[in-house]
Amino acid sequence: MFCYQHQGASVPDRDPAPPRAQLSWPVTATSYDPKLRTQTTIRTASLQILPQLVSPAAPLQVPTIIVDPQHPVYVLGERLTLRCSAPGGEAVNSYQFYNQHGERVFTETTGLPGGPWLVLTAETGKTGAYSCEYWAVRDGQTIYSARSQPVQVSVLDFPLAPSISEISDPPGKIPITIECSAPPAHMGTRYQFLRQGNVIVSQPSARLQLRQSDLDATGPYTCSYEISVSGRMIQSLPSAPLSIHLTAPPLAPKLSLHPKLPVYLPGEKVTLNCSAPGGEEVAGFRFHLHRGDQTPEELPAASGGAQMELTAQRGNDGSYTCQYWRWEARQEIASENSNRITVSVSDPPGKPSVSLSPDYSAYMAGDRVEINCSAPAGASPVKYGLYENGKPLGSLLGNASSWQKDLQVNGTRNATRSFACTYVDLIQGREVPSYASDPISISVFPAPAAPFLQLIPPLPLYVTGETVTAECVVPAGPYILRAHLVLRDGETLREQLGPQFPLNITPSDSGTYQCRYSSELHRRHLHSPPSEPVPLSVTDPPPQPALSVDPPSGVVSEGLPLLITCMAPGDTSKRRFHFYKDGAEIISGDIGPQISTTEPRTDSMNFSVLTVPWAGPNNTGEFSCGYEVNMSGRWIPSPRSQAVNITVTAWSLPVPLVAGCGGAATALALLLLLICLCRKKTAASRRLSTTYWKSQELRQSRIARRSTDISGVNMCLQQTIEGGWPQAASQDWGLLPKLPAEGPRPGRAAGRAAPPKGQKEEDDADSGAEFEFPDIDPTYAQVTFSCSTFRQGQGLSASLEHVYSTPDL
């Protein structure tokens, strides 16, 4: 039941009678209808308002009710206060409180600060909703407010008392452990242990260990527990008392650790040594492991010895103590606990990771790679170590964690390299090495070898317009060939798939050429080093020569000599001349057995003469010439000269032999001349060749130094009648044979000249002609070449002699 404490006076009825109205009968009223022109009398009841009737007052605002202290549940005997508060500004005459049944339990008529209050003492079964209201008098009327929102009050009996007991084995052995046990179906979340009614500890554990320091702890012990109800911790009733009596324990031993390290790794061996004070009688030792607030865990020790060996691992890290005991009156008396030694066990540092920069799928000999060792997040590395193929390569102190390696291979075979790393982490002041990282393996291949560049054809010098092929020869290797590149003076000219690069060269293409190639290996693009440089020299062809013929008209009678001269521009280069007929080169014997070519006698001579002593029908055609110049060991051909057409015609005499002679005599003389010519052709040709070349060498030596042009070659045919004067020709016929105007020449018989000494008589007799080769003044501006003289005398013998000369410019 609740106990109510209140003060107050008399309270008016909750619902006073409202003002009343009275009815009185009868009441008569008359109405007139103008349309019906009728009058109606209505009898009604009359309403009489009594004087006490007033208009209703405004309603009061709803109050609020609060409980202090505010808990979701209350236990027996707890006191709580209910307060009712009207909104500000309201004139309150009195407050009223109502219980869970709606019964009025308290009325307060005196206004108090903060509203009236009701003090309750919680009792079992008295739970429910409580509310309040207030009333006031306005204009003589009593007005009640509506009731407040209710507050819930829940009352709970105390949880059942726990039991307390000693669980030491054997009983009375120090340390003594007592246990607080909650009744079944009660889940204690926290336990209190009391000695002689005073709380000595409040802890989550239901067990309490009494140590050496509790020697004065003799007396009754009780305990209680707490449960959570609707979020509130409720204390149970106390347990029955437990009597504990402790005696003075022996002095504490000293605990030491070997090896003494700030942290241990799983698997490492640790030795605990417990040393009793000198003079103490010891029956045995015990070791304990302490973890937080839990009851110390006794560790098994072999035969109670003073040493205990541990294998460090997760689960046995914590604080260690030891104690010894002795026997007194057949009771085990344990010493105080020793000093605490903490054994920290930590896993080895996490494995680092190793990476490469640059990261290629394949590496080449000569590549430089950076090997990076990365410790996991949270580590504090103080040193790094690198391993290659399982062998240590070195270490780096501090934060440096990368190595530079130059990769090499032995010979031409590829190699596999494997790298791993470790680091040393600083854990609680101890340098702890990590496990090795997972290895990273790479393949190292021989670097692409330089190719070989060759020029096809391989010549020391090339001529503009020629096609040269630069071929890049790539050595064999494990690569996928992608492209070839040609470089000139270090700059790339062209890139293509094939190894051959045709070049139509000009002088601007001169330079030093190299080549290289691009390839792919394991998706990596590679470039070879350049090949050895190959020089390529280009020159323009020599200037075009000039071709001249004698006779200049290019028309020559059959049987007469023909001279074709090829003149090159003047310089000091060595030359080789070539003559062509109808586009084909003239080889000795191609156009007749009597053809001969004069080659330059010295390096400074810049012309050559093609000689046809006896022109024939096969000499008709288109003639041209060219020459070669020796440059850098190669004979470079010049363009061919302008072509000249040569026409060989049948023999004819265009002028009369003797003025006034008859046609018969003329025909007879010509017939005899032709017979003579045919009979002596071979001998005359042989003598002509000898005579010509001797004179030619002399003349060339005199005029070659000043020759720059060919003025032409002239031929003349002059008829002389024995005993008479030579008839003048119609044009300048050049050098003529030296014939006497009158009488015999010196050294010759009358009518016939004496043969020169050393010359066969029959040759002179056969030729019937005599020639002189006078010295030629090299300052002549123009010299005509040959002259053939026909002399008609006794026996109508005729001879033909041919004289040559070269122009002097």
Side-chain angles (χ1 to χ4, degrees):
M1 59 179 294
F2 284 99
C3 295
Y4 305 102
Q5 297 179 0
H6 62 275
Q7 298 175 355
S10 61
V11 179
D13 294 336
R14 171 66 181 86
D15 299 315
R20 293 175 294 173
Q22 295 181 353
L23 293 176
S24 62
W25 300 94
V27 175
T28 303
T30 301
S31 65
Y32 175 77
D33 188 346
K35 292 184 179 180
L36 299 177
R37 297 181 180 181
T38 61
Q39 179 174 322
T40 304
T41 300
I42 302 173
R43 185 178 181 184
T44 63
S46 63
L47 177 64
Q48 183 179 8
I49 304 299
L50 297 179
Q52 68 269 25
L53 182 63
V54 295
S55 59
L60 299 179
Q61 299 185 52
V62 179
T64 58
I65 186 170
I66 60 174
V67 60
D68 184 30
Q70 187 175 5
H71 294 307
V73 65
Y74 298 89
V75 295
L76 291 176
E78 278 190 316
R79 293 170 64 87
L80 63 152
T81 302
L82 298 176
R83 292 183 181 275
C84 187
S85 176
E90 293 288 357
V92 180
N93 286 75
S94 182
Y95 294 89
Q96 297 180 146
F97 292 90
Y98 297 87
N99 64 9
Q100 72 273 22
H101 303 296
E103 300 172 348
R104 185 166 57 193
V105 295
F106 175 72
T107 298
E108 173 62 60
T109 59
T110 304
L112 298 174
W117 46 267
L118 174 63
V119 178
L120 303 177
T121 300
E123 294 182 0
T124 305
K126 299 298 183 178
T127 63
Y130 288 79
S131 61
C132 73
E133 65 178 12
Y134 67 95
W135 59 274
V137 178
R138 292 183 180 177
D139 299 330
Q141 290 181 311
T142 301
I143 302 173
Y144 285 86
S145 71
R147 291 187 183 181
S148 67
Q149 290 292 330
V151 293
Q152 187 71 27
V153 175
S154 298
V155 180
L156 180 69
D157 199 356
F158 284 101
L160 298 177
S163 61
I164 187 170
S165 60
E166 179 184 356
I167 60 172
S168 301
D169 186 20
K173 182 183 70 173
I174 296 178
I176 295 175
T177 301
I178 58 178
E179 184 176 30
C180 187
S181 302
H186 287 69
M187 181 64 67
T189 59
R190 197 166 186 83
Y191 295 85
Q192 281 187 349
F193 291 89
L194 301 89
R195 183 172 60 235
Q196 296 180 353
N198 298 318
V199 177
I200 59 174
V201 67
S202 178
Q203 62 185 26
S205 175
R207 292 185 177 184
L208 174 66
Q209 189 177 68
L210 301 177
R211 301 179 179 85
Q212 299 280 351
S213 58
D214 299 322
L215 288 176
D216 59 346
T218 301
Y221 283 77
T222 60
C223 71
S224 63
Y225 62 94
E226 294 178 351
I227 61 173
S228 177
V229 179
S230 299
R232 182 184 179 190
M233 303 303 297
I234 305 298
Q235 189 80 27
S236 72
L237 296 173
S239 68
L242 173 67
S243 295
I244 298 294
H245 180 75
L246 299 177
T247 60
L251 297 176
K254 181 179 180 181
L255 181 64
S256 61
L257 192 65
H258 182 78
K260 188 175 182 180
L261 297 172
V263 67
Y264 297 88
L265 302 180
E268 290 185 326
K269 299 297 183 179
V270 183
T271 301
L272 298 173
N273 296 299
C274 190
S275 303
E280 288 287 345
E281 183 178 346
V282 178
F285 293 87
R286 295 187 184 94
F287 295 87
H288 299 90
L289 173 59
H290 304 261
R291 291 192 181 96
D293 294 333
Q294 298 180 12
T295 302
E297 176 186 353
E298 184 175 339
L299 302 177
S303 302
Q307 287 187 347
M308 182 175 184
E309 187 176 84
L310 297 175
T311 300
Q313 59 185 2
R314 286 291 189 179
N316 62 7
D317 54 341
S319 296
Y320 287 83
T321 61
C322 73
Q323 64 179 184
Y324 62 95
W325 77 90
R326 67 171 183 255
W327 295 105
E328 289 184 6
R330 294 184 301 178
Q331 184 179 1
E332 180 182 308
I333 305 300
S335 70
E336 294 182 356
N337 283 336
S338 68
N339 57 303
R340 287 196 180 194
I341 290 182
T342 300
V343 175
S344 297
V345 180
S346 174
D347 290 329
K351 290 194 301 184
S353 60
V354 63
S355 61
L356 304 176
S357 179
D359 189 4
Y360 294 141
S361 54
Y363 292 84
M364 301 296 107
D367 281 347
R368 168 166 285 194
V369 64
E370 183 180 273
I371 305 169
N372 299 295
C373 188
S374 301
S380 303
V382 295
K383 185 167 60 176
Y384 291 87
L386 177 66
Y387 299 83
E388 180 177 0
N389 297 333
K391 298 179 180 179
L393 287 182
S395 61
L396 297 173
L397 297 177
N399 294 327
S401 60
S402 63
W403 291 262
Q404 296 283 343
K405 290 290 294 181
D406 292 322
L407 302 177
Q408 300 294 335
V409 294
N410 295 325
T412 59
R413 298 175 61 88
N414 62 310
T416 299
R417 311 281 287 274
S418 177
F419 296 99
C421 72
T422 61
Y423 67 95
V424 175
D425 196 3
L426 195 63
I427 302 178
Q428 298 182 18
R430 178 186 176 186
E431 294 186 354
V432 181
S434 71
Y435 292 115
S437 67
D438 294 330
I440 183 170
S441 296
I442 62 174
S443 296
V444 184
F445 294 85
F452 169 73
L453 178 67
Q454 60 182 4
L455 300 178
I456 303 174
L459 298 173
L461 185 67
Y462 296 90
V463 181
T464 300
E466 287 185 327
T467 298
V468 179
T469 299
E471 182 176 18
C472 193
V473 181
V474 177
Y479 316 105
I480 300 175
L481 195 60
R482 292 301 184 191
H484 301 77
L485 300 91
V486 166
L487 303 88
R488 182 179 65 205
D489 298 331
E491 296 185 1
T492 302
L493 291 181
R494 195 188 315 168
E495 180 177 352
Q496 66 182 35
L497 294 179
Q500 293 187 338
F501 296 78
L503 301 172
N504 293 321
I505 55 176
T506 64
S508 62
D509 294 321
S510 295
T512 300
Y513 283 75
Q514 295 171 288
C515 76
R516 60 192 308 178
Y517 59 92
S518 63
S519 59
E520 182 179 324
L521 181 64
H522 296 290
R523 299 182 303 279
R524 180 184 176 188
H525 296 283
L526 304 172
H527 291 277
S528 73
S531 64
E532 290 294 328
V534 175
L536 188 149
S537 299
V538 184
T539 184
D540 288 327
Q544 184 182 33
L547 182 70
S548 61
V549 300
D550 190 358
S553 64
V555 179
V556 61
S557 298
E558 184 178 358
L560 296 183
L562 173 64
L563 296 180
I564 302 175
T565 303
C566 188
M567 175 70 72
D571 57 28
T572 59
S573 302
K574 288 186 178 181
R575 300 178 181 85
R576 295 192 305 202
F577 288 85
H578 302 273
F579 291 89
Y580 305 87
K581 178 178 180 294
D582 297 331
E585 185 176 359
I586 298 174
I587 307 300
S588 180
D590 284 357
I591 60 173
Q594 302 302 324
I595 188 172
S596 61
T597 303
T598 300
E599 292 295 331
R601 293 298 188 269
T602 64
D603 292 343
S604 61
M605 295 182 66
N606 59 347
F607 69 91
S608 179
V609 180
L610 175 68
T611 304
V612 181
W614 304 92
N618 62 335
N619 299 133
T620 297
E622 184 180 74
F623 286 79
S624 61
C625 73
Y627 64 95
E628 296 177 288
V629 178
N630 193 319
M631 296 182 182
S632 301
R634 179 188 174 189
W635 289 97
I636 307 298
S638 71
R640 294 188 185 182
S641 67
Q642 295 290 330
V644 175
N645 288 316
I646 302 296
T647 303
V648 179
T649 61
W651 173 261
S652 63
L653 291 177
V655 296
L657 297 176
V658 180
C661 295
T666 302
L668 180 59
L670 290 174
L671 178 60
L672 293 176
L673 176 59
L674 291 174
I675 294 172
C676 179
L677 290 174
C678 294
R679 183 173 60 85
K680 297 300 184 178
K681 181 178 180 180
T682 302
S685 177
R686 181 171 59 252
R687 186 175 66 254
L688 176 62
S689 177
T690 303
T691 304
Y692 167 73
W693 289 116
K694 289 181 179 180
S695 63
Q696 189 70 8
E697 291 178 359
L698 176 62
R699 295 177 182 181
Q700 287 179 352
S701 65
R702 292 179 178 178
I703 69 174
R705 290 188 303 272
R706 302 178 61 184
S707 299
T708 60
D709 193 13
I710 299 178
S711 62
V713 179
N714 295 322
M715 299 181 66
C716 70
L717 180 63
Q718 183 175 356
Q719 176 179 328
T720 302
I721 301 176
E722 186 177 358
W725 295 97
Q727 296 183 0
S730 61
Q731 57 180 310
D732 184 4
W733 293 98
L735 297 177
L736 300 177
K738 303 298 184 179
L739 299 179
E742 296 182 358
R745 295 177 57 189
R748 297 188 63 177
R752 185 164 186 172
K757 184 178 180 180
Q759 186 176 2
K760 293 183 180 180
E761 184 68 22
E762 61 179 3
D763 291 339
D764 288 341
D766 291 340
S767 66
E770 182 177 358
F771 290 84
E772 275 190 29
F773 295 95
D775 293 337
I776 299 177
D777 188 350
T779 63
Y780 290 172
Q782 177 174 338
V783 180
T784 58
F785 273 78
S786 60
C787 179
S788 298
T789 303
F790 293 85
R791 178 183 298 173
Q792 181 177 352
Q794 295 179 353
L796 296 177
S797 62
S799 65
L800 178 64
E801 294 186 1
H802 199 181
V803 180
Y804 298 88
S805 72
T806 57
D808 185 10
L809 304 180

